[in-house]
C-alpha cells in the first residue's frame, strides 16, 4: 500500500486543493455568506428633531416662459457647459413671456412652526427676472415681510440663473438677510451678491448683500433649527454650476418633508440619502419643489424607471412643479402617484401640479 | 507491462492531497480574513 502511494501526486493534489479551497472559500464568503461575514456599515443617523407643521407657498415656479427661446440662447452661446454669466439671455420680444421677457424665476416661501410655537419664515431662492420677482414678491406679501425683516433667512438652493440671478429682488428690501449657500458657489456668485454686474448676461444687483453668508458642505446633515435641516450635494450642474442643497423637515405625526429647488442631485438619490442619514428617513411623507426630470418636456424611457422607483418610497404628497415637467406629472398621475394639483394662476401654464401662488400645508 | 502498472499506481495520492489541500485552503482563507479584519 505504502509503495503504491505517490508522494508527488499527493503534493500536486494538495497544491490544487489548497488553491481551490482558498478561492472557493473567498468566493462563497463574498457571495453566499456576505451578509453574515461583513461587519455592519457604521452609519450615524442624525436626529434633526421635529416641527409642528409646515406651510410651503410657491412664489414662482415659472423660470422661463418659452423653452425654445431659452434653449436657443444656450445653443447660440455654445451649449450647456458655457458659463451662465456669459450668456446673453433673451429679455424681449417673447410672446409667451412676462411683458415680452422670457425670464421668470423660482422662489418658494416656507413657514415652519417649531415645537415651541415659534414660526420660522424662510425664503428659498430669489428667482431670475427682477421685474417678475418684484411683482410676485409684492403680490404674495414677501416684499413686505422682507422689508420688516420678518423673514429669518434665505437659502439659495444652487447658483443657477433662475434661482439666483434675481437676488436683487430680495436685497432691495432686506440687504442684511442671513443667507445659506451650498459649497461649490463660484466667485461670480459671491460677486453678484456683493453688487457686481454681469452685463453680458444682463444681470445686476444694485443692493449689495451686507449680511452673513454661510456656506454649507456635504460632509454632514446641516441642522439649522430643531426639525429643519439642509442637505448639500456635490453635483456638477449644467451652465457651470456646482453643488445643490435641499431642505429636510421632520413634521410631527406626519414624517419627513423634502423641499427642493431643482433637485439636480436626483430625487431618488436625495430620498436614499435621507433614508441613510436621518432618523425617520424611512418615512418620507411629502416632496415639494422641482424634481428635475423632464424640464424641457422631452422623455427618455429611463424616466419611466424613475417613476416606478418613486412608488417604493410611499410618499403621500408630491407637490412637484418647475423643472419636474408636465410629461413627468402626467406619467406620475398615471402611475398612481399622489401629485398635488395646482390652480394655474399667475402665469403657471397648467393646473397639473402646484403653480405660482399655490400652497402645500402639512400639519 | 510492469512499468505501465507502476505508472498507474504512482498516480495514487491525488485524492487525499486534494482533500487535505481544500482543508488547508479554507483554513488559510479564514486566517487571512481574520487578519484583515484585525488590521482594519
Amino acid at each position: 500500500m505504502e509503495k503504491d502511494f505517490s508522494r508527488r501526486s499527493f503534493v500536486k493534489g494538495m497544491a490544487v486543493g489548497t488553491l481551490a479551497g482558498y478561492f472557493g472559500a473567498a468566493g462563497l464568503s463574498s457571495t453566499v455568506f456576505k451578509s453574515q461575514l461583513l461587519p455592519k456599515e457604521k452609519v450615524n443617523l442624525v436626529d434633526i428633531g421635529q416641527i409642528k407643521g409646515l406651510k410651503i407657498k410657491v412664489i414662482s415656479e415659472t423660470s422661463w416662459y418659452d423653452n425654445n427661446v431659452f434653449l436657443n440662447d444656450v445653443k447660440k452661446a455654445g451649449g450647456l457647459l458655457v458659463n451662465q454669466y456669459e450668456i446673453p439671455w433673451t429679455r424681449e420680444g417673447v410672446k409667451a413671456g412676462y411683458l415680452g421677457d422670457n425670464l421668470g424665476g423660482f422662489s418658494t416661501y416656507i413657514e415652519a412652526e417649531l415645537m415651541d410655537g415659534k414660526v420660522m419664515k424662510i425664503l428659498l431662492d430669489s428667482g431670475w427676472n427682477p421685474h417678475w420677482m418684484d411683482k410676485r414678491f409684492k403680490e404674495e406679501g414677501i416684499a413686505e415681510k422682507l422689508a420688516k425683516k420678518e423673514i429669518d433667512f434665505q437659502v439659495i438652493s444652487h447658483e443657477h440663473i433662475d434661482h439666483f440671478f434675481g437676488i436683487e429682488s430680495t436685497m432691495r428690501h432686506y440687504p442684511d438677510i442671513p443667507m445659506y449657500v451650498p459649497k461649490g458657489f463660484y466667485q461670480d456668485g459671491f460677486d453678484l451678491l456683493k453688487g457686481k454686474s454681469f452685463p453680458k448676461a444682463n444681470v445686476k444687483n444694485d443692493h449689495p448683500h451686507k449680511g452673513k453668508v454661510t456656506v454649507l458642505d456635504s460632509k454632514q446633515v446641516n441642522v439649522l433649527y430643531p426639525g429643519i435641516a439642509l442637505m448639500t450635494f456635490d453635483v456638477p450642474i449644467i451652465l457651470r454650476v456646482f453643488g445643490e442643497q435641499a431642505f429636510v423637515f421632520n413634521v410631527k405625526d406626519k414624517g419627513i418633508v423634502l423641499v427642493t429647488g431643482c433637485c439636480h442631485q436626483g430625487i431618488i438619490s436625495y430620498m436614499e440619502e435621507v433614508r441613510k442619514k436621518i432618523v425617520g428617513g424611512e418615512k418620507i411623507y411629502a416632496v415639494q419643489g422641482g424634481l428635475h426630470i423632464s424640464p424641457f418636456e422631452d422623455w427618455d424611457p429611463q424616466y419611466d424607471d424613475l417613476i416606478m422607483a418613486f412608488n417604493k418610497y410611499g410618499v403621500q404628497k408630491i407637490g412637484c412643479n418647475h423643472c419636474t415637467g408636465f410629461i413627468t406629472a402626467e406619467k406620475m398621475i398615471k402611475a398612481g402617484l399622489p401629485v398635488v394639483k395646482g390652480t394655474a394662476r399667475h402665469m403657471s401654464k397648467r393646473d397639473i401640479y402646484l403653480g405660482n401662488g399655490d400652497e402645500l400645508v402639512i400639519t | 507491462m510492469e512499468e505501465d502498472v507502476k505508472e498507474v499506481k504512482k498516480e495514487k495520492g491525488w485524492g487525499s492531497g486534494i482533500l487535505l489541500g481544500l482543508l488547508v485552503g479554507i483554513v488559510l482563507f479564514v486566517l487571512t480574513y481574520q487578519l484583515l479584519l484585525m488590521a482594519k
Side-chain angles (χ1 to χ4, degrees), chain A residues 14 74 103 176 213 247 252 262 305 307 341 345 356 363:
Chain A
M14 202 168 150
V74 174
L103 316 183
D176 43 356
V213 180
F247 276 107
K252 192 176 184 286
C262 248
D305 298 339
I307 287 174
K341 278 195 99 176
R345 293 174 297 146
N356 299 339
T363 45

Side-chain angles (χ1 to χ4, degrees), chain B residues 3-8 10-12 14-16 18-19 21-22 26 30 32 34-38 40:
Chain B
E3 278 190 1
D4 287 349
V5 172
K6 262 187 178 179
E7 281 303 310
V8 172
K10 272 184 180 176
E11 291 302 310
K12 282 192 175 179
W14 269 98
S16 42
I18 285 175
L19 277 176
L22 276 171
I26 291 167
V30 172
T32 49
Q34 292 299 331
L35 274 173
L36 277 173
L37 273 188
M38 278 163 65
K40 254 187 171 180

Side-chain angles (χ1 to χ4, degrees), chain A residues 265-293:
Chain A
Q265 67 270 28
I267 183 61
I268 301 296
S269 311
Y270 181 21
M271 293 196 287
E272 276 301 316
E273 281 293 285
V274 168
R275 274 188 164 186
K276 222 176 356 175
K277 291 185 175 167
I278 291 176
V279 173
E282 69 287 349
K283 192 186 168 193
I284 297 172
Y285 178 76
V287 174
Q288 198 279 337
L291 303 185
H292 211 271
I293 300 172

Side-chain angles (χ1 to χ4, degrees), chain A residues 4 6 9 14 17-18 22 37, chain B residues 9-10 12 17 21 29 32-33:
Chain A
D4 295 342
S6 161
S9 296
M14 202 168 150
T18 306
Y22 189 88
L37 288 169
Chain B
K9 281 177 180 172
K10 272 184 180 176
K12 282 192 175 179
F29 172 75
T32 49
Y33 181 82

Side-chain angles (χ1 to χ4, degrees), chain A residues 43 112 225 227 244 324:
Chain A
V43 179
Y225 293 88
E244 178 156 349
T324 307

Side-chain angles (χ1 to χ4, degrees), chain A residues 14-33, chain B residues 21-30 32:
Chain A
M14 202 168 150
V16 171
T18 306
L19 284 171
Y22 189 88
F23 288 109
L28 278 174
S29 67
S30 63
T31 53
V32 183
F33 303 117
Chain B
L22 276 171
L23 198 67
V24 171
I26 291 167
V27 170
L28 268 176
F29 172 75
V30 172
T32 49

